[in-house]
């Protein structure tokens, strides 16, 4: 059931204009994105001022909106699974897009896939799965912590992703994954028949024992277990092997920021000039160096430009200055910012018995 008087904003469909009842992500700054339901006469208070919901209604998505007092601004963004991940209210640790996108690609999650996820947590990955499996696919997600289950259920309904996502309040280690599958969620035989499994819980090796009756017996099934420490990976791999999973591989996603900038192309004539300069300094010795410094000081005081020296001290040149030639280069950060967990992948292939 969706909240009354609200038009559920779909994560599957995109539209151009903000309407009353829409879920809008108010981009205040990179680290401050506020999800809001656009409601008549409501006000969004931010450190950059107040923003009237009435002014949002009828505005195009993406619009930069000025505050009620004319200073400060926000952007009105359309919700997507990725934007939801960086703006959602955290109730647990969450899976971020660099991991979720990799996992979905490795497990071949496509339009129509049937997915099991446990635990739901803050619902970050649930939204990505829901969007990727589309209206033909189904997501079965499980959460054993009751307040988290209730909050996730409310959010799933409120965001309209309940069209393909079904949440169950359950301890999957103790009670397994089998459920009474709702009519519009099974594909003929009242079973889940999952082709993709994602486990983000403290003891995946126990939950793995309970998967046999809920996976698709006709298809290659992929699993990913998301564990922050290597001891957990070890136990997970043992359990996967005992349960007949093959092609087991552990992967870690490490994100690095690539800085793109321009580097000046140095001309061979610059090199020759520089070498001549060094040679002449050597020839004239320390006295001359002192004199050069004195001359430079006098020039500085008189406001005479120092001229550009491509090899070091001299006039600063702005990156990309059209009077010089440049090439595009990249530099990577040495520090890794994104290790969250080890990803253990495995697959199960149906046993084909020849007739
Ligand atoms: C790290 S959070 C999952 C975060 C989620 N992947 C996301 O992207 O938002 C782990 C969740 O698993 C739940 N959990 C732990 N053990 C469980 C179990 N045996 N059965 C069901 N849920 C469980 C916890 O309550 C917690 O909410």
């Amino acid at each position: 059931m969706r909240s009354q008087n609200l038009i559920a904003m779909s994560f599957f469909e995109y539209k151009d204009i903000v309407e009353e009842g829409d879920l809008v992500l108010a981009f205040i700054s990179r680290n401050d994105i506020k999800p809001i339901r656009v409601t008549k006469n409501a006000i969004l208070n931010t450190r950059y001022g107040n923003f009237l919901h009435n002014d949002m209604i009828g505005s195009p998505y993406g619009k930069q909106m000025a505050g009620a007092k004319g200073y400060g601004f926000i952007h009105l963004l359309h919700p997507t699974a990725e934007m939801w991940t960086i703006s959602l209210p955290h109730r647990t640790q969450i899976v971020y897009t660099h991991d979720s996108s990799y996992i979905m690609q490795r497990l071949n999650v496509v339009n129509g896939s049937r997915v099991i996820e446990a635990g739901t947590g803050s619902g970050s990955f649930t939204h990505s799965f829901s969007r990727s499996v589309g209206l033909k696919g189904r997501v079965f997600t499980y959460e054993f912590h009751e307040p988290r289950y209730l909050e996730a259920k409310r959010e799933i309904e409120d965001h309209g992703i309940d069209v393909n996502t079904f949440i169950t309040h359950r301890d999957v280690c103790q009670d397994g994954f089998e459920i009474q599958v709702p009519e519009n969620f099974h594909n003929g035989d009242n079973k889940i028949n999952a082709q993709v499994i994602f486990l983000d819980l403290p003891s995946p090796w126990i939950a793995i024992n309970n998967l046999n009756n809920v996976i698709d017996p006709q298809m290659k099934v992929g699993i990913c277990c998301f564990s922050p420490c290597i001891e957990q990976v070890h136990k997970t791999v043992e359990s996967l092997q005992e349960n007949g999973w093959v092609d087991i591989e552990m992967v870690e996603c490490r994100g690095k920021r690539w800085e793109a900038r321009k580097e000046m192309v140095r001309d061979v004539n610059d090199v020759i000039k520089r070498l001549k300069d060094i040679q002449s300094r050597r020839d004239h010795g320390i006295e001359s160096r002192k004199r050069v410094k004195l001359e430079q000081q006098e020039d500085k005081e008189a406001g005479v430009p120092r001229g550009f020296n491509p090899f070091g001290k001299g006039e600063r040149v702005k990156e990309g200055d059209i009077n010089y030639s440049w090439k595009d280069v990249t530099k990577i950060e040495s520090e890794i910012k994104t290790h969250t967990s080890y990803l253990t992948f495995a697959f199960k292939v149906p046993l084909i018995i020849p007739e």
Side-chain angles (χ1 to χ4, degrees), residues 92-95 117-125 142-145 148 170-173 198 200-202:
T92 58
Q93 295 268 32
I94 65 164
V95 177
E117 178 201 35
T120 315
S122 304
S124 166
F125 208 165
Y142 300 77
E143 174 57 59
F144 77 169
H145 183 271
R148 256 178 240 148
R170 168 82 62 88
D171 180 336
V172 295
C173 293
F198 176 69
D200 179 6
L201 33 82

Side-chain angles (χ1 to χ4, degrees), residues 162 183 188:
D162 55 339
E183 209 171 295

